[in-house]
Amino acid sequence: MRHFAATCCLTLFSLLATLGASPAVAEADVGDELFLVTILFEQAYFGEIRLSGDDLEMGSNATVGASLRVELLLSEWIGLGVEGSANYIRPGEGPTLVIGETPQVVAFEGRHLIAGTNGFLRARFRLGGGLAEYYFIGGGGPAFMDYDPDDPDAYGRRIAGAGDMGWTAYARFGVRGELAPGFGALVEIGWIHREHLDAFEHTSFVAGAPVVASFDYVINQMSITLGWYMSR
């Protein structure tokens, strides 16, 4: 995480440094753009995964992924667009259930794909006479968890996938700036929420009889995003 945070800081410093660019580079103006196409790389940290509402919680390792964002700049102040994303989650050590009178650890394993499509709205404010800008962005949309419905151990020992559909929402603060006319970089930091109800089924056995418990997947994490964009 420290390496990724350092990269974010270097990117932010490089964007702010463009404010002192030479007059030839300063001819670029982010306020004159009509379209943006952005490639984003995201990591999300911290946050407890809530299973079955607030009854059970477990830790989470970093979520990593990438997005492709297409945006129409409606005015000097507003941008509107859509993005497709693919992220990999990796739950931490699972909770302990008491099945009958026997405690059993729900042990999640591996990384698992969450993919989706988000709509977003961006409020933008110029910096450095139009060479850069800071902004607030918020969005969300449907998402699905990819798993094999025929695999009873899709997420770990005796943990099967039960429902793939859910949703994602996020809000971030960002800074972007021109590195060359029509090309630039950005950094965003904020919050992201993911929620998939009845996402997992854990099967235990009491006196030889199966006991199935269904779990939701609900998490809030700090989101750090780096991106590179092309504009026209």
Side-chain angles (χ1 to χ4, degrees):
M1 175 177 178
R2 284 182 296 179
H3 175 73
F4 190 78
T7 303
C8 290
C9 291
L10 290 174
T11 302
L12 178 59
F13 291 153
S14 69
L15 292 180
L16 295 178
T18 61
L19 300 181
S22 65
V25 177
E27 293 176 359
D29 188 343
V30 296
D32 294 336
E33 299 165 341
L34 295 177
F35 299 96
L36 291 178
V37 178
T38 308
I39 296 176
L40 301 154
F41 298 93
E42 179 192 359
Q43 290 194 6
Y45 298 98
F46 309 121
E48 295 289 325
I49 300 171
R50 297 204 309 272
L51 302 172
S52 300
D54 296 318
D55 298 335
L56 296 171
E57 291 186 352
M58 61 185 294
S60 176
N61 296 288
T63 300
V64 296
S67 301
L68 177 64
R69 177 184 294 172
V70 179
E71 181 179 359
L72 172 64
L73 303 180
L74 300 178
S75 72
E76 182 180 350
W77 310 105
I78 297 295
L80 184 69
V82 295
E83 62 188 11
S85 65
N87 295 272
Y88 284 89
I89 63 170
R90 185 159 66 92
E93 183 176 346
T96 299
L97 301 179
V98 178
I99 308 298
E101 297 181 354
T102 304
Q104 297 187 23
V105 175
V106 180
F108 287 82
E109 299 173 356
R111 289 194 178 274
H112 304 282
L113 175 67
I114 291 182
T117 302
N118 300 318
F120 65 86
L121 182 69
R122 192 165 67 88
R124 43 199 293 258
F125 306 91
R126 286 199 203 185
L127 287 171
L131 190 59
E133 67 180 18
Y134 71 92
Y135 58 89
F136 299 91
I137 184 170
F144 73 92
M145 303 179 76
D146 186 32
Y147 68 93
D148 182 354
D150 298 321
D151 184 359
D153 301 311
Y155 292 100
R157 182 173 171 78
R158 295 199 298 269
I159 306 175
D164 57 354
M165 292 306 299
W167 58 276
T168 298
Y170 67 85
R172 303 190 193 106
F173 169 79
V175 178
R176 77 173 179 101
E178 298 284 305
L179 301 178
F183 176 78
L186 61 85
V187 59
E188 298 174 355
I189 185 169
W191 158 92
I192 190 165
H193 174 87
R194 292 185 172 92
E195 183 167 327
H196 295 256
L197 302 181
D198 295 326
F200 316 116
E201 287 185 348
H202 177 261
T203 302
S204 304
F205 293 89
V206 177
V211 177
V212 179
S214 296
F215 299 131
D216 305 330
Y217 176 89
V218 182
I219 190 170
N220 295 290
Q221 290 183 298
M222 181 182 73
S223 171
I224 301 175
T225 300
L226 295 177
W228 291 265
Y229 67 86
M230 298 183 65
S231 63
R232 185 174 178 85

